[in-house]
Amino acid sequence: MGKVIGIVSIKGGVGKTTIAASLAADLVNNCGKKILLIDANYSAPNLGLHMDILLPEKTIHDVLEGRARMKTAAYNRYGVDVVAGSYVYEKKINTLKLKNRINNIRNDYDFIIIDSSPSLNEEVLSAMLASDNLFIVSTPDYPTLSCSMKAAKLAKQRGLRINGIMLNKIKDPKHEISIREIEETLAIPVVASFTENKIHGRALFTRVPVSLYDKKSSFSREIHNLSLALCNKKENKPLWKRIFSFNMKREEVNRQLLKESFNKKY
Ligand SMILES: Nc1ncnc2c1ncn2[C@@H]1O[C@H](COP(=O)(O)OP(=O)(O)OP(=O)(O)O)[C@@H](O)[C@H]1O
Ligand SMILES: [Mg+2]
């Protein structure tokens, strides 16, 4: 049965869609997994723009309204089955049906990845409640950290499992909140960190997930490390890194723990 992974935050623009698209593409193309990727940012969907789906005929809105099945609304892009959102939908939809719709197709995939909305309302709750595992995307600044605290609180109140923080858009570490401080504040491990980089703009412009657009970038390598942990596989490290393993980054240690907890049989 496929594991459902929610990529959440209640702050816009932190990189949820970028990470969800790249993780999905990496899991398919570099780990051989079967992936369904869903846009659950119902009021401002844009996953299609990252995955080269410009005018979807069937969308997640149709799936929730019962007018389409998840499978028929999925477009295959870069090997990933993607259910995009409608850019023009205005009627109210019952977003809490997402869990039920996913349950119907769980057996067909290894992982179902949900890209969430940043709105602190039923939209983000829909993604959280439909997920077995949550990752909070944050950036290293105080306004975003306070939003991440709210997201963590919301998930914890519902008894949901938060597997880690993905820290994105690091650009000036000396003048930004450190990974240690983020972990202490949120009491959640940082399992991946990404620097700010202009390849993201280029990848988005060509509508190719960054993990495929520039496979050698530090972003793509970190995404792949995350994929390996989710797939219960060891990271491929160069020899010198294996010899000097006392130099391991915090995120790498956290990923080892993630690998164990994520793949534990309950
Ligand atoms: N590490 C990065 N370096 C530079 N740009 C980035 C990085 N990560 C994401 N971006 C860019 O930041 C913008 C916002 O990213 P994205 O759409 O993934 O955020 P989001 O959290 O999904 O936003 P929303 O909540 O509005 O859906 C995009 O233009 C994306 O290309
Ligand atoms: Mg988004």
Side-chain angles (χ1 to χ4, degrees), residues 9-20 39 41 44-46 50 115-119 137 167-170 194-204 210 219:
S9 82
I10 46 178
K11 180 90 162 49
V14 291
K16 295 177 291 300
T17 309
T18 303
I19 290 172
D39 195 343
N41 188 354
N46 54 32
H50 290 248
D115 173 30
S116 90
S117 157
S119 313
V137 181
L167 191 62
N168 192 22
K169 297 194 176 180
I170 300 168
F194 310 100
T195 52
E196 190 161 275
N197 192 315
K198 54 184 174 203
I199 54 162
H200 289 269
R202 294 177 191 162
L204 186 53
V210 181
F219 179 88

